[in-house]
Amino acid sequence: MPITFTDIPDTRPATPLLDQVDSPAQLREFSQDQLLTLADELRAFILYSVGKSGGHFGAGLGVVELTIALHKVFNTPHDRLVWDVGHQTYPHKILTGRREQMTQMRQKEGPSGFPKRSESEYDSFGVGHSSTSISAALGMAMASSQLGVDRKMVAVIGDGAMTAGMAFEAINHAAHVDKDLLVVLNDNQMSISHNVGGLSTYFSKLWASKFYNQLRESGKKALKVVPQAASFVKLTEEYMKGMVSPATIFEELGFNYIGPIDGHDLPLLTQTLSNLKEIKGPVLLHTITHKGKGFGPAESDPVGYHALTKIEPKPDTTDATKPKKPKFQQVFGDWLCDMAEQDSKLVGITPAMCEGSGMVEFAERFPERYEDVAIAEQHAVTLAAGMACEGAKPVVAIYSTFLQRGYDQLIHDVAIQNLDVLFAMDRSGLVGEDGATHAGAYDLSYLRCIPNMIIMAPSDENETRQLLYTGYQFNGPAAVRYPRGTGTGAVIDKTMTALPIGKGLMKREGSKVAILNFGTLLGSALQAGEQLDATVVDMRFVKPLDKEMILSLANTHELLVTLEENSIAGGAGSAVSEFLAEQAVVMPILQLGLPDQFIDHANHQQQLEMVGLDAQQILSRIQERLDRI
């Protein structure tokens, strides 16, 4: 049995076997007993390194044995391992040459928190969003077959990720092309949020269905009349279970199904994978694991220990009475509950991001109006559209990076029909340590081109609350984008007031330079404004723009500066430039935003510095442009 730890080590644990593994080839020389010891050492090291760097570790602890077995049996990197989402890949990274870098995980110039092709040849496919692994591994299998290369393809996918339609699209296609592909279903019955529609829950519901239980009750009654019917009833029950078992479902889809097996039994995993390696065609191995395995607190609270922040020295407690600034997700969650109290038509929808989106209290207080649709962003958007058709008032709480996955539905099902849906878009802008796959860098660009939409970018916590209310009152599709983490600590007015749509707010009057701020970089804009004696406007709305304000500023200033934490290409600054061009206004414009590149992981302030959006560089870039006028 794996050793169970109760604390995060604050000093590096002794790991003599793990220290010998700089590549999987070395662990392939280990005996079975050594591999079991290696698993314990690997768990200890994961706990230590994540304590130093912060990051996701519950999922990784749950696949320690599976990771060792996969690298033991398969000839990686020649054979390909494709991990879904990537939260569970810390053991993989440690065993593939990145052990001594793990204390810098997710930090600037350290390893990514997800598989990344440019980081290691063992990371065969870059991931971050869920449910892509089977499609990618199948594509690799088909290409290798076409090119005559003999290699094995393995996709490791969780039961939460398996709820997404893309996973089933890939399974359906895999059966059709009949290529050699092993899918390992890591079933821990726990995605980031409660696993909605997970396989275990699904099968339990089927076995508890009215039809199935009516059949059982009929069988019991028959026994009273005909005792010899016992064998028939038992056979019927077994047949019913067989019809809805995982084996039947996946085999009907064209896969050779094996399992479920204990995902923490390393000898069993190794032997099973060795056998499956020789089977041709699509195969699915169903493993049962425990998220957070080997760390007592995480086993008891897998949601709370999904990820861990970096363990810092204990802070000075002299300001312990000072209230904490709320995170933007809490601002949204509080607004959602307050709005639900006022309007019984409100329905909250999330694609498996209850905790991350701040919806826990809403789910508890208004369970009949809370819908977690699992990892199914496309469905979440069209579900909201259907609800809006019948008079409900859906609010879709979704990360900016995940709304990208429901883009067609946003256009086709919501916007074209001009339906009354509010999108509360968390994690807009750069997101720090989660890096490029999770950055909300494009929402202003991909939303701005959609007719019927209004788009709001609040500058602080109170504006977030008021603009959520404004978007909710608007009759049509609306989006409010706000960042990860905390804001400036603005006082939040509990009274909800609809702000005038398409109107900005003058924050500082100056001369020569006018800074048009879109979003939470307002503080830096005001700092630059003080240094330059510039006008600063909190624009609030990206669509519709405050055209009257823009024309007035263009007529009275020598330089317009647009500021946003979104891609410059197609963003708010582009909207201002397009409007001025339409009005035949020719004047210098400086667009400050995210450059045309993907921004690597680092903390948020470091990322802003990397792209020139910290206060000092904003000031110097404006001054440099002024000098050229």
Side-chain angles (χ1 to χ4, degrees):
M1 290 291 293
I3 294 174
T4 298
F5 299 88
T6 57
D7 297 298
I8 306 291
D10 56 6
T11 58
R12 194 187 194 285
T15 55
L17 274 177
L18 181 61
D19 293 346
Q20 299 176 38
V21 180
D22 294 314
S23 73
Q26 290 155 317
L27 73 81
R28 291 178 196 133
E29 302 300 319
F30 287 179
S31 68
Q32 196 66 252
D33 287 342
Q34 287 177 309
L35 291 178
L36 292 171
T37 303
L38 178 67
D40 289 332
E41 292 185 6
L42 188 50
R43 276 197 173 86
F45 188 82
I46 290 170
L47 291 171
Y48 163 73
S49 60
V50 174
K52 293 296 183 184
S53 67
H56 300 90
F57 78 125
L61 291 175
V63 296
V64 164
E65 288 83 8
L66 177 59
T67 305
I68 292 172
L70 286 168
H71 281 297
K72 169 75 172 177
V73 172
F74 291 93
N75 182 28
T76 55
H78 178 78
D79 293 335
R80 309 298 198 201
L81 295 185
V82 181
W83 299 90
D84 212 282
V85 180
H87 293 159
Q88 72 272 45
T89 55
Y90 291 16
H92 162 80
K93 286 180 178 257
I94 293 168
L95 295 174
T96 53
R98 288 163 278 185
R99 181 184 62 249
E100 301 307 319
Q101 300 171 270
M102 293 300 288
T103 55
Q104 298 300 309
M105 171 71 72
R106 303 170 75 243
Q107 298 177 34
K108 187 178 181 181
E109 298 179 356
S112 168
F114 306 98
K116 190 174 182 181
R117 281 173 57 84
S118 61
E119 185 178 296
S120 170
E121 62 179 336
Y122 291 93
D123 292 358
S124 60
F125 195 76
V127 297
H129 297 182
S130 85
S131 314
T132 62
S133 59
I134 304 176
S135 296
L138 178 60
M140 292 175 179
M142 294 172 67
S144 295
S145 175
Q146 179 179 339
L147 298 174
V149 178
D150 182 17
R151 58 165 50 105
K152 303 297 181 182
M153 306 296 174
V154 183
V156 184
I157 185 169
D159 55 319
M162 189 64 94
T163 64
M166 183 175 180
F168 283 95
E169 291 171 10
I171 286 174
N172 181 61
H173 189 213
H176 174 70
V177 298
D178 196 32
K179 299 299 180 184
D180 293 348
L181 172 68
L182 172 60
V183 175
V184 179
L185 173 57
N186 172 33
D187 186 357
N188 57 30
Q189 303 179 27
M190 178 63 66
S191 56
I192 298 174
S193 189
H194 293 293
N195 196 1
V196 178
L199 289 173
S200 178
T201 304
Y202 172 63
F203 300 138
S204 296
K205 285 181 178 178
L206 284 172
W207 292 340
S209 69
K210 183 177 180 181
F211 169 69
Y212 175 61
N213 282 285
Q214 280 180 342
L215 182 114
R216 293 189 67 193
E217 289 302 314
S218 298
K220 290 177 182 177
K221 292 175 182 178
L223 285 175
K224 294 178 181 179
V225 181
V226 186
Q228 294 81 2
S231 60
F232 169 75
V233 172
K234 183 178 180 181
L235 286 171
T236 302
E237 183 172 346
E238 290 176 354
Y239 177 70
M240 283 298 299
K241 284 189 174 181
M243 285 199 301
V244 296
S245 73
T248 302
I249 290 172
F250 287 111
E251 287 182 358
E252 285 297 319
L253 289 170
F255 272 70
N256 188 344
Y257 173 92
I258 294 89
I261 67 171
D262 183 354
H264 299 296
D265 187 333
L266 185 50
L268 176 62
L269 281 170
T270 304
Q271 184 59 53
T272 303
L273 288 169
S274 296
N275 294 338
L276 297 184
K277 187 177 179 181
E278 306 306 318
I279 297 178
K280 298 295 184 181
V283 179
L284 188 137
L285 172 62
H286 187 172
T287 65
I288 304 297
T289 62
H290 196 149
K291 192 171 185 179
K293 182 68 173 178
F295 183 57
E299 290 186 15
S300 302
D301 182 13
V303 173
Y305 283 90
H306 168 66
L308 187 73
T309 56
K310 181 179 179 180
I311 298 176
E312 303 282 5
K314 290 186 178 180
D316 183 2
T317 58
T318 54
D319 289 334
T321 57
K322 188 176 181 180
K324 290 183 178 180
K325 294 185 291 186
K327 293 183 178 181
F328 279 94
Q329 66 196 57
Q330 182 183 335
V331 174
F332 165 72
D334 292 344
W335 169 82
L336 190 65
C337 289
D338 293 344
M339 196 69 246
E341 285 184 338
Q342 292 188 20
D343 189 353
S344 62
K345 293 181 180 179
L346 184 149
V347 179
I349 301 171
T350 179
M353 288 286 113
C354 178
E355 289 81 13
S357 294
M359 297 182 75
V360 173
E361 183 182 352
F362 176 80
E364 293 172 350
R365 290 177 55 188
F366 304 95
E368 73 285 354
R369 290 193 272 157
Y370 166 70
E371 297 295 337
D372 184 341
V373 302
I375 303 172
E377 294 86 0
Q378 295 178 346
H379 170 58
V381 175
T382 303
L383 177 72
M387 287 183 168
C389 286
E390 298 302 316
K393 293 275 288 185
V395 178
V396 180
I398 191 167
Y399 292 5
S400 168
T401 186
F402 294 151
L403 185 55
Q404 295 165 183
R405 305 184 76 170
Y407 190 56
D408 178 64
Q409 289 70 25
L410 176 61
I411 296 173
H412 184 272
D413 299 333
V414 176
I416 287 178
Q417 302 185 94
N418 200 26
L419 292 174
D420 194 7
V421 179
L422 175 63
F423 295 91
M425 298 171 55
D426 198 349
R427 271 64 166 183
S428 288
L430 299 174
V431 292
E433 291 82 357
D434 280 343
T437 60
H438 282 59
Y442 312 106
D443 53 70
L444 295 184
S445 302
Y446 71 66
L447 290 175
R448 196 173 66 78
C449 60
I450 303 175
N452 293 332
M453 293 284 303
I454 66 167
I455 308 164
M456 293 158 277
S459 61
D460 62 28
E461 301 93 323
N462 185 54
E463 273 198 1
T464 300
R465 179 177 174 86
Q466 306 309 329
L467 287 174
L468 284 166
Y469 182 74
T470 303
Y472 187 81
Q473 298 302 322
F474 176 74
N475 186 20
V480 181
R481 58 116 62 178
Y482 46 92
R484 179 184 190 181
T486 59
T488 59
V491 176
I492 298 176
D493 187 352
K494 294 295 290 183
T495 302
M496 292 184 283
T497 305
L499 302 179
I501 291 175
K503 292 297 178 183
L505 182 65
M506 183 76 71
K507 302 294 288 188
R508 187 187 190 282
E509 291 193 57
S511 60
K512 201 168 184 179
V513 178
I515 304 173
L516 281 62
N517 173 77
F518 297 87
T520 53
L521 294 176
L522 179 61
S524 296
L526 287 169
Q527 287 184 48
E530 290 292 330
Q531 294 287 324
L532 297 166
D533 187 26
T535 296
V536 179
V537 179
D538 178 10
M539 293 298 290
R540 292 176 167 170
F541 290 84
V542 178
K543 186 178 183 179
L545 286 170
D546 189 339
K547 296 180 178 180
E548 183 179 351
M549 175 79 77
I550 294 170
L551 284 176
S552 174
L553 296 172
N555 289 329
T556 55
H557 292 73
E558 297 178 21
L559 173 66
L560 292 186
V561 179
T562 62
L563 181 61
E564 62 192 302
E565 199 170 333
N566 183 86
S567 170
I568 291 175
S574 294
V576 172
S577 296
E578 291 163 12
F579 169 66
L580 291 175
E582 178 187 296
Q583 299 297 310
V585 175
V586 179
M587 69 173 301
I589 300 176
L590 173 61
Q591 295 182 22
L592 299 179
L594 301 181
D596 188 24
Q597 66 188 67
F598 295 109
I599 311 303
D600 280 339
H601 55 278
N603 68 45
H604 185 243
Q605 182 59 36
Q606 289 172 331
Q607 287 184 319
L608 291 178
E609 293 168 1
M610 288 159 62
V611 297
L613 290 180
D614 60 301
Q616 184 56 49
Q617 290 190 79
I618 288 171
L619 173 63
S620 62
R621 292 171 74 182
I622 295 173
Q623 186 62 64
E624 180 185 345
R625 185 58 181 271
L626 271 174
D627 293 343
R628 291 161 49 197
I629 293 177

